[in-house]
Amino acid sequence: MSAIVCRETLKNVRSRGIRMTNLAISRSYYGLSFMHNGDDVVARGIRCSDVKRSYFPYGIDNHDIELEAINNATGFTDALIKCYHRDTTNIRLKLKSRGKRGGDCIVNFDHHNEVPNLALRNISVDLDVDDVDCRLDSAIMFRALDRNERVERQTNRHWQSISIDGDVRICAQTELFDFRSFGKVPGTVYIGPRLARHPKLP
């Protein structure tokens, strides 16, 4: 079961100008999901409780999202910002995460495509993370997968103008960043002043 899903059905037909306010989503697979469709989206006051993946966009442009993810007891990420067959661009995400129980990470910037030179571009994430189980591997991940779903240590996918800041309170053994993949062409990832003061960063 999913709450809000906007997916591509017809080529060159796109949904735009979606506005959402004060939604409570409980015990769902997806909270807000945009699959190669749904540009110019604004969401405020979104509260996801026991949702496997609260925010899941790919192949979209221009999102301004503020949401709270609580009690995610699965291995799924709270926010999976992904790239498949077209660029994913211009996202502002303000995410409050509480009660994450294990899994790979809280936010994943993920390339999973067979198209070269695609980008996750101009994405800003402001995090407020607390009450996290120590089984969580990392808070933030960058990853690219090949067509056989194996992690590419070096990839021709791009992460461009990614900005991350916020207050992240995690266990000492949990990594703040997990760079599983690195672009052959250098990308740009900006770490904001609050994250820069994190005790695990130099």
Side-chain angles (χ1 to χ4, degrees):
M1 181 178 70
S2 300
I4 307 296
V5 176
C6 184
R7 64 167 54 95
E8 181 182 47
T9 55
L10 298 172
K11 295 292 184 183
N12 302 318
V13 176
R14 298 189 67 77
S15 300
R16 293 183 173 86
I18 300 169
R19 302 294 182 266
M20 292 171 280
T21 307
N22 298 328
L23 296 177
I25 302 167
S26 299
R27 294 182 298 278
S28 178
Y29 195 97
Y30 294 129
L32 309 181
S33 180
F34 300 89
M35 306 175 178
H36 287 134
N37 202 358
D39 298 329
D40 186 27
V41 174
V42 177
R44 295 288 186 273
I46 311 300
R47 192 170 193 264
C48 296
S49 178
D50 191 19
V51 174
K52 288 186 175 182
R53 187 163 288 150
S54 294
Y55 179 54
F56 181 36
Y58 58 84
I60 54 82
D61 179 66
N62 195 27
H63 279 196
D64 188 351
I65 309 294
E66 296 184 4
L67 66 82
E68 180 180 4
I70 63 172
N71 301 324
N72 183 353
T74 74
F76 288 79
T77 60
D78 285 336
L80 176 57
I81 301 172
K82 204 167 181 78
C83 183
Y84 277 109
H85 303 299
R86 58 180 293 166
D87 294 339
T88 299
T89 56
N90 300 312
I91 295 173
R92 173 190 169 268
L93 171 64
K94 185 175 183 180
L95 173 64
K96 180 178 179 180
S97 177
R98 297 290 188 273
K100 182 72 177 74
R101 299 294 174 247
D104 288 338
C105 60
I106 292 173
V107 178
N108 189 358
F109 298 92
D110 200 50
H111 276 284
H112 189 177
N113 54 69
E114 301 173 13
V115 182
N117 302 317
L118 291 180
L120 291 161
R121 182 185 304 111
N122 194 24
I123 298 172
S124 172
V125 177
D126 190 315
L127 292 172
D128 179 1
V129 176
D130 206 348
D131 185 26
V132 176
D133 192 283
C134 293
R135 292 173 295 175
L136 182 70
D137 293 339
S138 61
I140 302 155
M141 181 187 295
F142 290 80
R143 184 182 68 169
L145 302 176
D146 66 17
R147 65 181 62 192
N148 296 313
E149 300 193 4
R150 293 177 302 219
V151 174
E152 294 181 326
R153 293 300 297 169
Q154 283 200 323
T155 181
N156 58 6
R157 284 43 164 168
H158 301 277
W159 293 269
Q160 298 173 348
S161 297
I162 309 297
S163 176
I164 309 168
D165 201 2
D167 298 306
V168 177
R169 294 163 290 277
I170 53 179
C171 298
Q173 63 266 37
T174 299
E175 295 295 331
L176 180 59
F177 287 97
D178 182 351
F179 290 94
R180 297 202 179 178
S181 303
F182 295 88
K184 294 178 182 177
V185 177
T188 49
V189 178
Y190 303 98
I191 299 172
R194 285 175 290 162
L195 275 189
R197 294 194 298 268
H198 192 277
K200 299 187 77 172
L201 286 176

